[in-house]
mmCIF file of all heavy atoms in Angstrom:
data_model
loop_
_atom_site.group_PDB
_atom_site.id
_atom_site.type_symbol
_atom_site.label_atom_id
_atom_site.label_comp_id
_atom_site.label_asym_id
_atom_site.label_seq_id
_atom_site.Cartn_x
_atom_site.Cartn_y
_atom_site.Cartn_z
ATOM 1 N N TYR A 217 4.753 -12.762 6.325
ATOM 2 C CA TYR A 217 5.364 -11.657 5.578
ATOM 3 C C TYR A 217 5.086 -10.223 6.240
ATOM 4 O O TYR A 217 3.909 -10.021 6.380
ATOM 5 C CB TYR A 217 5.031 -11.649 4.050
ATOM 6 C CG TYR A 217 5.630 -10.668 3.217
ATOM 7 C CD1 TYR A 217 6.773 -11.037 2.511
ATOM 8 C CD2 TYR A 217 5.127 -9.376 3.080
ATOM 9 C CE1 TYR A 217 7.380 -10.107 1.681
ATOM 10 C CE2 TYR A 217 5.694 -8.544 2.259
ATOM 11 C CZ TYR A 217 6.794 -8.811 1.507
ATOM 12 O OH TYR A 217 7.512 -7.902 0.685
ATOM 13 N N TYR A 221 7.151 0.591 4.706
ATOM 14 C CA TYR A 221 7.146 1.493 3.522
ATOM 15 C C TYR A 221 7.239 2.928 4.170
ATOM 16 O O TYR A 221 6.823 3.233 5.315
ATOM 17 C CB TYR A 221 5.757 1.450 2.882
ATOM 18 C CG TYR A 221 5.595 0.197 2.073
ATOM 19 C CD1 TYR A 221 4.927 -0.964 2.635
ATOM 20 C CD2 TYR A 221 5.889 0.028 0.685
ATOM 21 C CE1 TYR A 221 4.690 -2.186 1.993
ATOM 22 C CE2 TYR A 221 5.584 -1.063 0.018
ATOM 23 C CZ TYR A 221 5.003 -2.140 0.558
ATOM 24 O OH TYR A 221 4.890 -3.217 -0.099
ATOM 25 N N GLN A 223 5.938 6.873 2.942
ATOM 26 C CA GLN A 223 5.157 7.555 1.815
ATOM 27 C C GLN A 223 5.547 9.011 1.816
ATOM 28 O O GLN A 223 5.463 9.688 2.933
ATOM 29 C CB GLN A 223 3.645 7.406 2.186
ATOM 30 C CG GLN A 223 2.777 7.973 1.093
ATOM 31 C CD GLN A 223 1.346 7.751 1.444
ATOM 32 O OE1 GLN A 223 0.880 7.715 2.471
ATOM 33 N NE2 GLN A 223 0.464 7.608 0.337
ATOM 34 N N GLY A 226 3.963 12.802 -3.826
ATOM 35 C CA GLY A 226 4.518 12.718 -5.248
ATOM 36 C C GLY A 226 5.368 11.447 -5.544
ATOM 37 O O GLY A 226 5.656 11.277 -6.734
ATOM 38 N N MET A 227 5.687 10.686 -4.547
ATOM 39 C CA MET A 227 6.583 9.458 -4.669
ATOM 40 C C MET A 227 5.921 8.229 -4.380
ATOM 41 O O MET A 227 6.442 7.102 -4.545
ATOM 42 C CB MET A 227 7.919 9.610 -3.947
ATOM 43 C CG MET A 227 8.611 10.905 -4.286
ATOM 44 S SD MET A 227 10.274 10.937 -3.618
ATOM 45 C CE MET A 227 11.073 9.916 -4.818
ATOM 46 N N GLY A 228 4.677 8.298 -4.005
ATOM 47 C CA GLY A 228 4.020 6.979 -3.595
ATOM 48 C C GLY A 228 4.615 6.308 -2.460
ATOM 49 O O GLY A 228 5.217 6.906 -1.616
ATOM 50 N N LEU A 229 4.378 5.025 -2.352
ATOM 51 C CA LEU A 229 4.861 4.276 -1.361
ATOM 52 C C LEU A 229 6.185 3.508 -1.747
ATOM 53 O O LEU A 229 6.156 2.880 -2.852
ATOM 54 C CB LEU A 229 3.823 3.187 -0.804
ATOM 55 C CG LEU A 229 2.762 3.796 -0.058
ATOM 56 C CD1 LEU A 229 1.410 3.719 -0.805
ATOM 57 C CD2 LEU A 229 2.553 2.983 1.308
ATOM 58 N N LEU A 231 9.201 0.755 -0.668
ATOM 59 C CA LEU A 231 9.492 -0.342 0.338
ATOM 60 C C LEU A 231 10.912 -0.073 0.834
ATOM 61 O O LEU A 231 11.936 0.044 0.251
ATOM 62 C CB LEU A 231 9.500 -1.608 -0.358
ATOM 63 C CG LEU A 231 9.842 -2.860 0.332
ATOM 64 C CD1 LEU A 231 8.694 -3.185 1.392
ATOM 65 C CD2 LEU A 231 9.863 -4.124 -0.659
ATOM 66 N N TYR A 234 11.747 -5.759 4.344
ATOM 67 C CA TYR A 234 10.729 -6.659 4.463
ATOM 68 C C TYR A 234 11.314 -7.887 5.098
ATOM 69 O O TYR A 234 12.490 -8.131 5.078
ATOM 70 C CB TYR A 234 10.074 -6.875 3.099
ATOM 71 C CG TYR A 234 10.862 -7.653 2.047
ATOM 72 C CD1 TYR A 234 10.840 -8.953 1.890
ATOM 73 C CD2 TYR A 234 11.696 -6.913 1.157
ATOM 74 C CE1 TYR A 234 11.496 -9.683 0.972
ATOM 75 C CE2 TYR A 234 12.543 -7.585 0.256
ATOM 76 C CZ TYR A 234 12.363 -8.878 0.073
ATOM 77 O OH TYR A 234 13.175 -9.498 -0.815
ATOM 78 N N PHE A 276 4.634 3.285 7.125
ATOM 79 C CA PHE A 276 3.615 2.336 7.235
ATOM 80 C C PHE A 276 4.237 0.906 7.391
ATOM 81 O O PHE A 276 5.159 0.615 6.596
ATOM 82 C CB PHE A 276 2.729 2.258 6.033
ATOM 83 C CG PHE A 276 1.784 3.364 5.913
ATOM 84 C CD1 PHE A 276 2.029 4.590 5.100
ATOM 85 C CD2 PHE A 276 0.582 3.394 6.667
ATOM 86 C CE1 PHE A 276 1.165 5.658 4.954
ATOM 87 C CE2 PHE A 276 -0.274 4.585 6.524
ATOM 88 C CZ PHE A 276 -0.002 5.581 5.804
ATOM 89 N N SER A 280 1.136 -9.481 5.492
ATOM 90 C CA SER A 280 0.612 -10.034 4.167
ATOM 91 C C SER A 280 0.167 -11.352 4.405
ATOM 92 O O SER A 280 0.858 -12.223 5.023
ATOM 93 C CB SER A 280 1.752 -9.978 3.161
ATOM 94 O OG SER A 280 1.257 -10.631 1.898
ATOM 95 N N MET A 282 -1.592 -14.360 1.792
ATOM 96 C CA MET A 282 -1.964 -14.828 0.347
ATOM 97 C C MET A 282 -1.725 -13.683 -0.533
ATOM 98 O O MET A 282 -2.578 -13.382 -1.428
ATOM 99 C CB MET A 282 -3.512 -15.200 0.460
ATOM 100 C CG MET A 282 -3.799 -16.409 1.218
ATOM 101 S SD MET A 282 -3.142 -17.930 0.526
ATOM 102 C CE MET A 282 -4.342 -18.136 -0.853
ATOM 103 N N GLY A 283 -0.675 -12.885 -0.357
ATOM 104 C CA GLY A 283 -0.403 -11.706 -1.264
ATOM 105 C C GLY A 283 -0.893 -10.465 -0.939
ATOM 106 O O GLY A 283 -0.560 -9.371 -1.396
ATOM 107 N N THR A 284 -2.006 -10.394 -0.133
ATOM 108 C CA THR A 284 -2.671 -9.185 0.216
ATOM 109 C C THR A 284 -2.094 -8.518 1.480
ATOM 110 O O THR A 284 -1.920 -9.143 2.421
ATOM 111 C CB THR A 284 -4.195 -9.370 0.538
ATOM 112 O OG1 THR A 284 -4.844 -9.937 -0.649
ATOM 113 C CG2 THR A 284 -4.834 -8.106 0.838
ATOM 114 N N GLN A 285 -1.665 -7.240 1.326
ATOM 115 C CA GLN A 285 -0.963 -6.602 2.374
ATOM 116 C C GLN A 285 -2.076 -5.761 3.239
ATOM 117 O O GLN A 285 -2.919 -5.097 2.660
ATOM 118 C CB GLN A 285 0.160 -5.741 1.956
ATOM 119 C CG GLN A 285 1.224 -6.638 1.216
ATOM 120 C CD GLN A 285 2.604 -5.867 1.150
ATOM 121 O OE1 GLN A 285 2.776 -4.926 1.794
ATOM 122 N NE2 GLN A 285 3.495 -6.455 0.402
ATOM 123 N N TYR A 286 -1.926 -5.880 4.536
ATOM 124 C CA TYR A 286 -2.776 -5.105 5.491
ATOM 125 C C TYR A 286 -1.890 -4.217 6.159
ATOM 126 O O TYR A 286 -0.851 -4.598 6.847
ATOM 127 C CB TYR A 286 -3.460 -6.083 6.383
ATOM 128 C CG TYR A 286 -4.363 -7.059 5.635
ATOM 129 C CD1 TYR A 286 -3.927 -8.346 5.251
ATOM 130 C CD2 TYR A 286 -5.596 -6.816 5.266
ATOM 131 C CE1 TYR A 286 -4.647 -9.226 4.512
ATOM 132 C CE2 TYR A 286 -6.402 -7.614 4.624
ATOM 133 C CZ TYR A 286 -5.982 -8.889 4.176
ATOM 134 O OH TYR A 286 -6.689 -9.722 3.516
ATOM 135 N N PHE A 287 -2.265 -2.945 6.293
ATOM 136 C CA PHE A 287 -1.440 -1.897 6.767
ATOM 137 C C PHE A 287 -1.825 -1.462 8.100
ATOM 138 O O PHE A 287 -2.961 -1.441 8.520
ATOM 139 C CB PHE A 287 -1.410 -0.732 5.855
ATOM 140 C CG PHE A 287 -0.764 -0.942 4.589
ATOM 141 C CD1 PHE A 287 -1.388 -1.551 3.505
ATOM 142 C CD2 PHE A 287 0.534 -0.559 4.451
ATOM 143 C CE1 PHE A 287 -0.748 -1.833 2.258
ATOM 144 C CE2 PHE A 287 1.326 -0.781 3.242
ATOM 145 C CZ PHE A 287 0.591 -1.462 2.092
ATOM 146 N N TYR B 136 -0.996 -10.619 -8.909
ATOM 147 C CA TYR B 136 -2.177 -10.143 -8.263
ATOM 148 C C TYR B 136 -2.284 -8.678 -8.474
ATOM 149 O O TYR B 136 -1.183 -7.919 -8.531
ATOM 150 C CB TYR B 136 -2.220 -10.500 -6.846
ATOM 151 C CG TYR B 136 -2.014 -11.955 -6.539
ATOM 152 C CD1 TYR B 136 -0.826 -12.474 -5.857
ATOM 153 C CD2 TYR B 136 -2.895 -12.786 -6.907
ATOM 154 C CE1 TYR B 136 -0.767 -13.661 -5.477
ATOM 155 C CE2 TYR B 136 -2.797 -14.102 -6.613
ATOM 156 C CZ TYR B 136 -1.731 -14.685 -5.856
ATOM 157 O OH TYR B 136 -1.646 -15.857 -5.559
ATOM 158 N N PHE B 138 -4.267 -5.017 -7.019
ATOM 159 C CA PHE B 138 -4.998 -4.562 -5.848
ATOM 160 C C PHE B 138 -5.497 -3.168 -6.093
ATOM 161 O O PHE B 138 -4.873 -2.339 -6.828
ATOM 162 C CB PHE B 138 -4.013 -4.603 -4.676
ATOM 163 C CG PHE B 138 -3.493 -5.825 -4.311
ATOM 164 C CD1 PHE B 138 -2.270 -6.299 -4.943
ATOM 165 C CD2 PHE B 138 -3.996 -6.723 -3.394
ATOM 166 C CE1 PHE B 138 -1.729 -7.499 -4.716
ATOM 167 C CE2 PHE B 138 -3.395 -7.887 -3.069
ATOM 168 C CZ PHE B 138 -2.308 -8.371 -3.805
ATOM 169 N N TYR B 140 -6.246 0.038 -3.233
ATOM 170 C CA TYR B 140 -6.314 0.526 -1.943
ATOM 171 C C TYR B 140 -6.911 1.915 -1.780
ATOM 172 O O TYR B 140 -6.690 2.695 -2.732
ATOM 173 C CB TYR B 140 -4.909 0.514 -1.186
ATOM 174 C CG TYR B 140 -4.388 -0.860 -0.824
ATOM 175 C CD1 TYR B 140 -3.700 -1.640 -1.861
ATOM 176 C CD2 TYR B 140 -4.439 -1.270 0.407
ATOM 177 C CE1 TYR B 140 -3.081 -2.863 -1.480
ATOM 178 C CE2 TYR B 140 -3.959 -2.537 0.849
ATOM 179 C CZ TYR B 140 -3.355 -3.319 -0.184
ATOM 180 O OH TYR B 140 -2.801 -4.604 0.181
ATOM 181 N N GLN B 142 -6.865 5.413 0.471
ATOM 182 C CA GLN B 142 -6.365 6.285 1.555
ATOM 183 C C GLN B 142 -7.207 7.552 1.784
ATOM 184 O O GLN B 142 -6.980 8.528 1.207
ATOM 185 C CB GLN B 142 -4.865 6.650 1.283
ATOM 186 C CG GLN B 142 -4.189 7.179 2.462
ATOM 187 C CD GLN B 142 -2.734 7.470 2.192
ATOM 188 O OE1 GLN B 142 -2.266 7.823 1.119
ATOM 189 N NE2 GLN B 142 -1.906 7.216 3.286
ATOM 190 N N GLY B 146 -5.619 9.121 6.549
ATOM 191 C CA GLY B 146 -4.326 8.686 6.399
ATOM 192 C C GLY B 146 -4.119 7.218 6.277
ATOM 193 O O GLY B 146 -2.997 6.627 5.739
ATOM 194 N N GLU B 147 -4.992 6.451 6.816
ATOM 195 C CA GLU B 147 -4.848 4.931 6.795
ATOM 196 C C GLU B 147 -4.952 4.407 5.430
ATOM 197 O O GLU B 147 -5.566 5.047 4.571
ATOM 198 C CB GLU B 147 -5.723 4.230 7.747
ATOM 199 C CG GLU B 147 -7.204 4.177 7.320
ATOM 200 C CD GLU B 147 -8.053 5.323 7.880
ATOM 201 O OE1 GLU B 147 -7.412 6.396 8.095
ATOM 202 O OE2 GLU B 147 -9.262 5.206 7.999
ATOM 203 N N LEU B 148 -4.388 3.279 5.187
ATOM 204 C CA LEU B 148 -4.463 2.468 3.894
ATOM 205 C C LEU B 148 -5.479 1.382 3.987
ATOM 206 O O LEU B 148 -5.217 0.397 4.847
ATOM 207 C CB LEU B 148 -3.001 2.018 3.458
ATOM 208 C CG LEU B 148 -2.116 3.123 2.820
ATOM 209 C CD1 LEU B 148 -0.643 2.733 2.890
ATOM 210 C CD2 LEU B 148 -2.571 3.396 1.392
ATOM 211 N N PHE B 150 -7.491 -1.714 2.273
ATOM 212 C CA PHE B 150 -7.511 -2.728 1.218
ATOM 213 C C PHE B 150 -8.893 -2.802 0.749
ATOM 214 O O PHE B 150 -9.918 -2.909 1.394
ATOM 215 C CB PHE B 150 -7.183 -4.042 1.800
ATOM 216 C CG PHE B 150 -7.429 -5.228 0.875
ATOM 217 C CD1 PHE B 150 -6.768 -5.386 -0.293
ATOM 218 C CD2 PHE B 150 -8.518 -6.141 1.247
ATOM 219 C CE1 PHE B 150 -7.052 -6.482 -1.074
ATOM 220 C CE2 PHE B 150 -8.779 -7.125 0.445
ATOM 221 C CZ PHE B 150 -8.075 -7.321 -0.850
ATOM 222 N N ARG B 153 -8.560 -7.474 -4.251
ATOM 223 C CA ARG B 153 -7.551 -8.307 -4.942
ATOM 224 C C ARG B 153 -7.970 -8.997 -6.103
ATOM 225 O O ARG B 153 -9.176 -9.576 -5.935
ATOM 226 C CB ARG B 153 -6.809 -9.140 -4.014
ATOM 227 C CG ARG B 153 -5.705 -10.015 -4.609
ATOM 228 C CD ARG B 153 -4.973 -10.931 -3.536
ATOM 229 N NE ARG B 153 -5.520 -12.225 -3.830
ATOM 230 C CZ ARG B 153 -4.933 -13.326 -3.258
ATOM 231 N NH1 ARG B 153 -3.850 -13.118 -2.532
ATOM 232 N NH2 ARG B 153 -5.346 -14.532 -3.520
ATOM 233 N N PHE B 194 -5.027 3.981 -4.718
ATOM 234 C CA PHE B 194 -3.781 3.444 -5.199
ATOM 235 C C PHE B 194 -4.080 2.072 -5.832
ATOM 236 O O PHE B 194 -4.797 1.202 -5.305
ATOM 237 C CB PHE B 194 -2.802 3.202 -4.099
ATOM 238 C CG PHE B 194 -2.225 4.479 -3.531
ATOM 239 C CD1 PHE B 194 -2.874 5.000 -2.372
ATOM 240 C CD2 PHE B 194 -1.145 5.165 -4.137
ATOM 241 C CE1 PHE B 194 -2.280 6.176 -1.795
ATOM 242 C CE2 PHE B 194 -0.697 6.230 -3.616
ATOM 243 C CZ PHE B 194 -1.200 6.769 -2.478
ATOM 244 N N THR B 198 1.613 -7.288 -7.697
ATOM 245 C CA THR B 198 2.644 -8.078 -7.134
ATOM 246 C C THR B 198 2.631 -9.491 -7.847
ATOM 247 O O THR B 198 1.631 -9.908 -8.389
ATOM 248 C CB THR B 198 2.397 -8.431 -5.538
ATOM 249 O OG1 THR B 198 3.620 -9.043 -5.029
ATOM 250 C CG2 THR B 198 1.181 -9.259 -5.297
ATOM 251 N N ASN B 202 7.047 -16.321 -3.716
ATOM 252 C CA ASN B 202 7.630 -15.858 -2.525
ATOM 253 C C ASN B 202 7.866 -14.323 -2.384
ATOM 254 O O ASN B 202 7.893 -13.793 -1.344
ATOM 255 C CB ASN B 202 8.932 -16.604 -2.171
ATOM 256 C CG ASN B 202 8.598 -18.049 -1.858
ATOM 257 O OD1 ASN B 202 7.614 -18.325 -1.295
ATOM 258 N ND2 ASN B 202 9.523 -18.898 -2.183
ATOM 259 N N ARG B 204 6.675 -11.113 -2.488
ATOM 260 C CA ARG B 204 5.376 -10.446 -2.415
ATOM 261 C C ARG B 204 5.487 -8.937 -2.349
ATOM 262 O O ARG B 204 4.622 -8.282 -1.770
ATOM 263 C CB ARG B 204 4.600 -11.035 -1.287
ATOM 264 C CG ARG B 204 4.016 -12.423 -1.421
ATOM 265 C CD ARG B 204 3.690 -13.076 -0.307
ATOM 266 N NE ARG B 204 4.857 -13.783 0.313
ATOM 267 C CZ ARG B 204 4.899 -14.604 1.345
ATOM 268 N NH1 ARG B 204 3.783 -14.810 2.000
ATOM 269 N NH2 ARG B 204 6.026 -15.187 1.795
ATOM 270 N N LYS B 205 6.523 -8.388 -2.931
ATOM 271 C CA LYS B 205 6.610 -6.857 -2.887
ATOM 272 C C LYS B 205 5.530 -6.393 -3.813
ATOM 273 O O LYS B 205 5.329 -6.798 -4.846
ATOM 274 C CB LYS B 205 8.076 -6.501 -3.425
ATOM 275 C CG LYS B 205 9.239 -7.051 -2.660
ATOM 276 C CD LYS B 205 10.460 -6.604 -3.322
ATOM 277 C CE LYS B 205 11.641 -7.466 -2.912
ATOM 278 N NZ LYS B 205 12.901 -6.973 -3.530
ATOM 279 N N LEU B 206 4.903 -5.239 -3.190
ATOM 280 C CA LEU B 206 3.903 -4.634 -3.999
ATOM 281 C C LEU B 206 4.672 -3.552 -4.875
ATOM 282 O O LEU B 206 5.469 -2.739 -4.407
ATOM 283 C CB LEU B 206 2.911 -4.009 -3.083
ATOM 284 C CG LEU B 206 1.684 -4.818 -2.672
ATOM 285 C CD1 LEU B 206 0.893 -4.068 -1.594
ATOM 286 C CD2 LEU B 206 0.911 -5.255 -3.776
ATOM 287 N N TRP B 208 3.633 -0.086 -6.577
ATOM 288 C CA TRP B 208 2.518 0.773 -6.483
ATOM 289 C C TRP B 208 2.400 1.864 -7.598
ATOM 290 O O TRP B 208 3.462 2.294 -8.085
ATOM 291 C CB TRP B 208 2.642 1.657 -5.210
ATOM 292 C CG TRP B 208 2.547 0.701 -3.979
ATOM 293 C CD1 TRP B 208 3.582 0.033 -3.283
ATOM 294 C CD2 TRP B 208 1.461 0.646 -3.101
ATOM 295 N NE1 TRP B 208 3.065 -0.569 -2.253
ATOM 296 C CE2 TRP B 208 1.801 -0.256 -2.071
ATOM 297 C CE3 TRP B 208 0.103 1.043 -3.204
ATOM 298 C CZ2 TRP B 208 0.923 -0.588 -1.082
ATOM 299 C CZ3 TRP B 208 -0.792 0.744 -2.242
ATOM 300 C CH2 TRP B 208 -0.409 -0.213 -1.158
ATOM 301 N N LEU B 210 1.179 5.744 -8.471
ATOM 302 C CA LEU B 210 1.393 6.989 -7.626
ATOM 303 C C LEU B 210 0.001 7.543 -7.015
ATOM 304 O O LEU B 210 0.013 8.522 -6.367
ATOM 305 C CB LEU B 210 1.985 8.072 -8.435
ATOM 306 C CG LEU B 210 3.454 7.816 -8.787
ATOM 307 C CD1 LEU B 210 4.071 8.936 -9.575
ATOM 308 C CD2 LEU B 210 4.306 7.492 -7.535
#
Side-chain angles (χ1 to χ4, degrees):
Chain A
Y217 185 92
Y221 292 87
Q223 185 179 31
M227 304 195 73
L229 285 112
L231 182 65
Y234 66 98
F276 287 98
S280 174
M282 298 286 288
T284 300
Q285 296 202 15
Y286 300 93
F287 288 85
Chain B
Y136 303 119
F138 303 85
Y140 284 84
Q142 188 172 40
E147 70 270 27
L148 282 159
F150 165 71
R153 180 180 100 165
F194 292 95
T198 191
N202 290 331
R204 282 159 277 186
K205 300 179 199 177
L206 275 175
W208 293 84
L210 293 182

